[in-house]
Every structure is written in C-alpha cells, then in structure tokens.
C-alpha cells in the first residue's frame, strides 16, 4: 500500500482553507475514487488527471486509487486541485519523491496534454501559503498575482512535466518576483 499527500487550497469567499490531497494506492481491480465532498468540476478532474499523466509520459497506476480531499466537510469546487491530485498520484506510485511535496502548495488546473492553466482566486491561496511557510506552485497565468505576496516563493510551471522536474530537483524553477 502506498500513500502520498500534496497540499492545495480551497476558495471560500476571500479565504483559502488548506486542503490535503491524500492519495492511497492499493491492490484490487483498477478504479479511481475521489472523496471529500467534491462537486462536479472536481469529480471531473479524474479524467483530466488521467489524460494529463498519460500525455505527459507518466504511468497511470493500474491499481485501486483513492484520493481524499481533506477536510471532508469543506465543499470543494473548481479545477484548482488538478495538479495536486496528479502530483499526489505520482508520489504514491513512486514516480516522484513523496518528501518533495511537504513544503509546497499546488493550485493549478491541468489541460489534457499536461499543460497547467491558471485558476481564479489565487491571491487568498498565496496569502495563506505564505502564512503557512510553504512555497506556491502555480500556472504562469497566476504567477504575477501570487508574487505580489511578500515572503512567498512562487514557482510558475507551464506543464506537469516541469513541475515534477522542479520537485525532483533535476530542473529547479526560479522563484518569481513581482515587477510591482
């Protein structure tokens, strides 16, 4: 049995509560279950994540996959958890070191080809990540806004592949600084 945790942020008004993206891989018939009060857009992330992993050249585990978005009583909506779910699956399956996810938060949508897309409401996530002492991984569309937060390392990647190389330490992405 393999477990990995990635960190993300929900959007609740002007706040960004933490969300732990817990992935468990186990034996049994292949299945992909997403739990933790996900609404329709979040449930659809299963297909975006599967396609993005395969199209980016990673193995999609042919095992029983359970992804829990904790806390379970917090409603989850939008596409902001896609990249965190993908990274958590990669870590749980041994394709990425699980320890690499401990000090970062990830907020980005995945395209089917593995590219990262920006999401709305990145400022509350950036403020909360800075308060938690974690770096923030985002799509290039969100980097300028996120970099306005003082004392926050913002790393913008254009693809899932770039994110994994950064987290594995093979091709680090320099922290982005706001021009303002």
């Amino acid at each position: 049995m393999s477990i990995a945790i990635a960190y993300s942020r929900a959007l609740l008004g002007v706040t960004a509560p933490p969300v732990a993206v817990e992935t468990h891989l186990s034996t049994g018939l292949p299945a992909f279950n997403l739990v933790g009060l996900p609404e329709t857009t979040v449930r659809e992330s299963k297909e975006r994540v599967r396609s993005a992993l395969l199209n980016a050249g990673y193995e999609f585990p042919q095992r029983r996959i359970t992804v829990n978005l904790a806390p379970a009583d917090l409603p989850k909506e939008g596409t902001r958890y896609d990249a965190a779910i993908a990274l958590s699956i990669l870590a749980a399956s041994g394709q990425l070191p699980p320890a690499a996810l401990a000090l970062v938060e990830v907020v980005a949508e995945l395209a089917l080809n593995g590219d990262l897309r920006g999401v709305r409401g990145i400022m509350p996530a950036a403020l909360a990540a800075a308060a938690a002492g974690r770096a923030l991984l985002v799509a290039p569309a969100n980097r300028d806004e996120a970099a306005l937060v003082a004392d926050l390392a913002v790393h913008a990647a254009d693809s899932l592949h770039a994110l994994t190389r950064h987290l594995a330490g093979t091709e680090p992405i320099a922290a982005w600084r706001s021009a303002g």
Side-chain angles (χ1 to χ4, degrees):
M1 289 190 240
S2 302
I3 295 179
I5 301 172
Y7 299 96
S8 191
R9 293 278 167 179
L11 182 60
L12 190 60
V14 294
T15 64
V19 173
V21 179
E22 305 166 333
T23 297
H24 175 242
L25 301 181
S26 62
T27 58
L29 291 174
F32 189 168
N33 297 302
L34 189 59
V35 298
L37 205 55
E39 60 100 49
T40 302
T41 310
V42 179
R43 285 193 304 270
E44 291 171 348
S45 72
K46 294 190 303 187
E47 298 310 318
R48 288 189 299 275
V49 167
R50 181 189 325 268
S51 293
L53 286 173
L54 293 172
N55 288 319
Y58 296 101
E59 175 191 334
F60 188 79
Q62 293 302 306
R63 299 172 65 189
R64 188 166 197 74
I65 303 169
T66 302
V67 176
N68 180 38
L69 303 175
D73 62 349
L74 175 69
K76 313 325 178 287
E77 62 182 32
T79 57
R80 61 194 312 107
Y81 309 104
D82 289 2
I85 292 169
L87 292 173
S88 185
I89 289 171
L90 289 173
S93 64
Q95 298 177 75
L96 179 70
L101 300 175
L103 299 176
V104 298
E105 295 186 7
V106 187
V107 181
E109 177 181 340
L110 278 175
L112 297 181
N113 67 354
D115 287 349
L116 268 62
R117 295 182 177 147
V119 297
R120 67 180 180 80
I122 203 69
M123 184 56 75
L127 291 166
R134 291 194 177 108
L136 185 62
L137 306 178
V138 298
N142 289 130
R143 72 179 176 200
D144 289 334
E145 183 180 353
L148 292 173
V149 176
D151 300 322
L152 175 65
V154 176
H155 302 276
D158 59 358
S159 68
L160 180 60
H161 203 51
L163 271 184
T164 58
R165 290 189 311 254
H166 170 74
L167 290 168
T170 58
E171 290 183 37
I173 300 169
W176 185 258
R177 298 288 178 230
S178 172

